[in-house]
Amino acid sequence: MDKKTVFSGIQATSNQHLGNYLGAIKNWVEMQKQYDNYFCVVDLHTVTVPQDPDTLRANIREVAGLLFAAGIDEDNSTVFIQSHVKAHSELAWLLNCITPMGWLHRMTQFKEKSEKAKDEVSVGLFDYPVLQAADILLYDTNLVPVGEDQKQHVELCRDIAQRFNYRYGEVFVLPDAYIPPVGGRVMGLSNPDKKMSKSEEKKDDSIFLLDAPDQIRAKIKKATTDSHREIKFDEKRSGVNNLLTIYQLVTEKTRDQIEDHFAGKSYKDLKEQLAEAVIETLEPLQQRYRELTGEKGYLEAMLNRGAKRAEARAETKLRQVYEKIGLR
Ligand code: ATP
Ligand code: LTN
């Protein structure tokens, strides 16, 4: 039986954090054997906000390296850089022409991100979800594993696909988002009422995947808790709940086991043990990252192979789209 197709994307920004890892990358690694996978460093999405060229080049490489270091492998997955496969931009244009502006005005991520930049906001940032829809639809994607914040974008992608299919005939597969039952929204350490994020000004809010052990210890030590004592999962106590959730994800223990383990212990114990568990999770990833980025040309060769594989599939779909529209 043919395997179902998985597609997901990650921005080419430095400071990939534990939220990106636990909400997305870790699941990609765990799911990859069951599916036919495409994992894309979405550099064209990254330039929807201003980027320094040299930093961007370095970040594209860093993020691709992190994906392989986390355990994504060429035998099960195609990893590539979005701008290397031109079909993504081409399909985005064609989808732009059938997507109503009103649908994009409803996107909460655009509302949030554009608030800061106001009149300087690019057309690209507004159009971001249409490019994302093109990414997904080019590969007949069935499942899109993402964090909770991307659910609305995947739903919009379905709507665009349905509109196209209705107008021109069945071309696109309708994708479903896959949000992990735990970890879909890892919260900030100092502000546990907001999601952990790399754009956060307060750097102590996030644990970055390449943070050194002492940085991890220091950040977790400072994490916001509360004035209660009991160490229990409780959504109303967002700080402690978040620390416990991260502990659950990195140790893969059950909630009951964790609550039993911490019964009678202090927040200091929780923080110390959490820090060590996070360090243990990230150390092998960091080690592999250093190995594979240290070898000149190794990563680039993998990315070239990935782009070729992705291109072959994407071009077939794009040709169908041109024909349906009447452009061929
Ligand atoms: P950020 O907000 O940190 O800039 P992002 O969502 O804009 O991140 P990406 O790096 O492209 O940018 O995200 C990669 C994946 O990580 C996405 O699937 C996203 O949903 C997921 N993700 C991002 N933040 C979190 C979080 N705090 N908890 C769980 N998943 C997250
Ligand atoms: N918007 C996503 C990144 C992204 C993506 C995609 C995710 C771009 N294209 C296609 C899944 C499928 C984000 O995480 N910020």
Side-chain angles (χ1 to χ4, degrees):
M1 211 177 73
D2 272 356
K3 284 181 175 173
K4 288 192 167 180
T5 300
V6 158
F7 184 100
S8 201
I10 185 158
Q11 295 220 49
T13 37
S14 190
N15 291 341
Q16 291 293 328
H17 51 73
L18 207 55
N20 301 128
Y21 180 71
L22 298 173
I25 304 172
K26 181 173 185 270
N27 303 306
W28 304 354
V29 175
E30 282 164 6
M31 292 165 78
Q32 69 181 333
K33 283 207 165 63
Q34 293 169 56
Y35 299 101
D36 183 16
N37 311 278
Y38 292 84
F39 298 120
C40 182
V41 179
V42 292
D43 55 350
L44 297 173
H45 279 104
T46 310
V47 296
T48 55
V49 293
Q51 301 291 336
D52 168 72
D54 288 333
T55 311
L56 177 61
R57 253 186 294 274
N59 289 345
I60 293 171
R61 197 170 187 272
E62 179 176 307
V63 174
L66 282 172
L67 295 184
F68 288 114
I72 292 175
D73 69 73
E74 278 188 291
D75 291 338
N76 292 297
S77 304
T78 300
V79 177
F80 67 104
I81 311 296
Q82 188 185 33
S83 68
H84 293 184
V85 180
K86 294 195 171 57
H88 290 249
S89 308
E90 286 185 57
L91 181 60
W93 178 257
L94 299 171
L95 297 180
N96 273 336
C97 298
I98 65 154
T99 305
M101 301 258 287
W103 290 7
L104 295 182
H105 275 299
R106 285 204 295 271
M107 295 296 112
T108 51
Q109 194 172 66
F110 175 72
K111 287 187 211 164
E112 279 166 25
K113 290 200 177 178
S114 59
E115 229 166 60
K116 291 180 203 142
K118 299 243 158 56
D119 285 351
E120 285 301 307
V121 168
S122 68
V123 175
L125 192 69
F126 183 63
D127 199 31
Y128 181 115
V130 178
L131 178 59
Q132 182 164 350
D135 298 340
I136 297 168
L137 298 177
L138 276 173
Y139 300 89
D140 290 335
T141 301
N142 305 104
L143 267 191
V144 186
V146 280
E148 229 171 74
D149 61 311
Q150 294 302 313
K151 193 164 172 252
Q152 194 185 32
H153 286 168
V154 180
E155 280 162 6
L156 178 86
C157 170
R158 273 181 83 94
D159 291 342
I160 295 173
Q162 260 172 324
R163 194 177 174 93
F164 187 99
N165 288 350
Y166 181 75
R167 217 176 257 189
Y168 296 110
E170 293 294 318
V171 171
F172 294 128
V173 171
L174 303 187
D176 284 306
Y178 170 79
I179 319 271
V182 183
R185 192 170 159 82
V186 175
M187 309 308 278
L189 295 179
S190 41
N191 184 357
D193 297 319
K194 280 175 76 179
K195 83 164 186 123
M196 188 179 281
S197 142
K198 42 184 132 38
S199 34
E200 194 63 46
E201 286 79 31
K202 283 175 72 183
K203 292 259 188 284
D204 287 347
D205 218 34
S206 309
I207 292 172
F208 302 123
L209 300 185
L210 295 173
D211 274 352
D214 278 345
Q215 284 173 295
I216 297 175
R217 289 189 190 101
K219 286 179 183 179
I220 294 182
K221 197 170 171 191
K222 276 192 271 181
T224 302
T225 50
D226 53 41
S227 55
H228 295 262
R229 271 163 178 245
E230 246 189 335
I231 300 182
K232 280 207 171 310
F233 286 91
D234 178 355
E235 303 232 330
K236 290 196 277 306
R237 292 164 56 196
S238 55
V240 173
N241 196 66
N242 189 40
L243 297 181
L244 284 170
T245 303
I246 297 174
Y247 189 83
Q248 181 186 1
L249 289 160
V250 294
T251 61
E252 297 185 349
K253 293 193 172 125
T254 66
R255 291 188 168 214
D256 285 345
Q257 284 171 333
I258 294 169
E259 288 183 348
D260 286 349
H261 174 75
F262 285 112
K265 298 213 172 78
S266 66
Y267 286 166
K268 183 165 170 281
D269 296 321
L270 168 62
K271 285 180 171 181
E272 282 173 4
Q273 292 187 32
L274 173 62
E276 296 317 309
V278 169
I279 291 166
E280 208 174 293
T281 302
L282 294 184
E283 237 166 16
L285 183 154
Q286 296 181 351
Q287 173 66 23
R288 279 195 297 270
Y289 177 80
R290 282 191 291 270
E291 281 163 18
L292 69 90
T293 52
E295 205 174 318
K296 210 163 171 274
Y298 184 71
L299 183 58
E300 286 69 19
M302 290 199 284
L303 293 172
N304 282 337
R305 287 194 287 274
K308 284 212 178 76
R309 264 153 57 176
E311 188 176 36
R313 177 124 176 209
E315 282 296 329
T316 309
K317 184 94 276 175
L318 187 64
R319 226 174 297 128
Q320 279 176 31
V321 175
Y322 274 124
E323 273 166 22
K324 287 284 183 190
I325 294 179
L327 294 167
R328 292 285 184 278

